[in-house]
Amino acid sequence: MASFPPRVNEKEIVRSRTIGELLAPAAPFDKKCGRENWTVAFAPDGSYFAWSQGHRTVKLVPWSQCLKNFLLHGTKNITNSSCLRLSRQNSDGGQKNKPREHIIDCGDIVWSLAFGSSVPEKQSRCVNIEWHRFRFGQDQLLLATGLNNGRIKIWDVYTGKLLLNLVDHTEVVRDLTFAPDGSLILVSASRDKTLRVWDLKDDGNMMKVLRGHQNWVYSCAFSPDSSMLCSVGASKAFAV
């Protein structure tokens, strides 16, 4: 039976309430932006929130300002207005820039989202980040989007720019997860019955294909220390 970690107060979860509602724009309606909101994700440090707005569009929102808007203006928030920007250190270690809201056209229906950071979620393990094509600093924040056509696109959260286009899956990418140790290792789960392991610090090189499932793979997750990977799929399949 699943349970929450000790630090989570389950009684507080029961008493939780809605603080806000993000609404995708209803008009003008076009092929890029419909009503499908299929997946959401928070950045590991809580600085950004990402949500799939429609057929191809993902919106990246600085979360602290979004939360502030809820408190000031009530529960509904279209997130179309410009927002205050959260400071961060840029990649060359110089003066601080301010990230902003971005709307990303992914080119196909978005099934999965995952944030990846070069900063470990726990400082228990030090990972040496050496980029081949890109020269990023130690505060890099990426967004991976899994698409209907089997592609995975990697975006720079702070600029909204496309960095990598990972092409190897032959079916829908149902789930994505980054190792929490800051290594920028990405695992993708697909309807093509495989999981694939990508090394984003090595230009997105695919390290391994995992073929333990006999049917669609729905979801995957790392253990907190990044030492284990588990996955679930159709036909009640579970793999570690």
Side-chain angles (χ1 to χ4, degrees):
M1 181 176 178
S3 62
F4 292 102
R7 67 178 182 276
V8 177
N9 188 330
E10 295 185 34
K11 292 182 179 179
E12 290 184 359
I13 294 177
V14 173
R15 296 195 299 268
S16 64
R17 60 183 178 84
T18 301
I19 62 169
E21 181 180 4
L22 297 172
L23 302 178
F29 182 87
D30 60 30
K31 293 182 180 180
K32 293 183 183 179
C33 190
R35 284 285 188 173
E36 296 86 352
N37 295 272
W38 287 352
T39 182
V40 294
F42 276 104
D45 62 358
S47 61
Y48 269 92
F49 176 74
W51 58 306
S52 172
Q53 274 200 317
H55 296 296
R56 307 176 1 172
T57 306
V58 171
K59 176 163 274 191
L60 279 165
V61 183
W63 180 243
S64 66
Q65 179 58 28
C66 185
L67 189 59
K68 182 178 178 180
N69 288 343
F70 286 145
L71 297 176
L72 291 176
H73 305 297
T75 60
K76 290 190 177 181
N77 187 345
I78 306 299
T79 69
N80 282 333
S81 59
S82 60
C83 55
L84 294 178
R85 299 177 181 181
L86 308 174
S87 63
R88 75 169 185 99
Q89 187 174 356
N90 65 10
S91 59
D92 60 6
Q95 66 181 10
K96 290 187 176 182
N97 292 332
K98 295 180 179 180
R100 61 185 184 275
E101 186 176 293
H102 296 289
I103 297 177
I104 297 173
D105 186 346
C106 296
D108 205 343
I109 296 173
V110 180
W111 281 81
S112 50
L113 296 171
F115 282 95
S117 174
S118 57
V119 178
E121 294 182 20
K122 293 184 177 181
Q123 298 299 326
S124 59
R125 178 179 174 187
C126 181
V127 177
N128 183 25
I129 304 296
E130 295 180 356
W131 291 82
H132 291 204
R133 183 187 305 169
F134 307 112
R135 300 301 176 189
F136 293 135
Q138 294 295 318
D139 65 343
Q140 185 62 34
L141 184 60
L142 306 176
L143 178 70
T145 56
L147 306 182
N148 190 68
N149 59 12
R151 297 193 177 197
I152 302 167
K153 293 188 176 182
I154 309 298
W155 310 84
D156 185 326
V157 170
Y158 300 125
T159 65
K161 292 182 178 179
L162 178 64
L163 301 178
L164 291 168
N165 193 358
L166 309 180
V167 182
D168 205 73
H169 281 298
T170 58
E171 296 286 347
V172 173
V173 179
R174 287 294 305 266
D175 196 24
L176 296 164
T177 184
F178 278 94
D181 61 6
S183 61
L184 292 176
I185 298 298
L186 174 69
V187 176
S188 55
S190 173
R191 284 185 182 175
D192 65 11
K193 308 176 186 179
T194 70
L195 296 106
R196 296 175 191 263
V197 184
W198 313 83
D199 185 357
L200 298 194
K201 72 179 185 293
D202 187 15
D203 291 350
N205 178 51
M206 190 181 67
M207 303 166 58
K208 187 176 294 186
V209 181
L210 306 176
R211 303 183 184 274
H213 287 270
Q214 302 301 312
N215 213 319
W216 294 356
V217 189
Y218 289 146
S219 184
C220 55
F222 275 102
S223 62
D225 64 358
S226 303
S227 65
M228 296 182 68
L229 176 73
C230 63
S231 60
V232 293
S235 304
K236 301 181 181 180
F238 173 78
V240 178

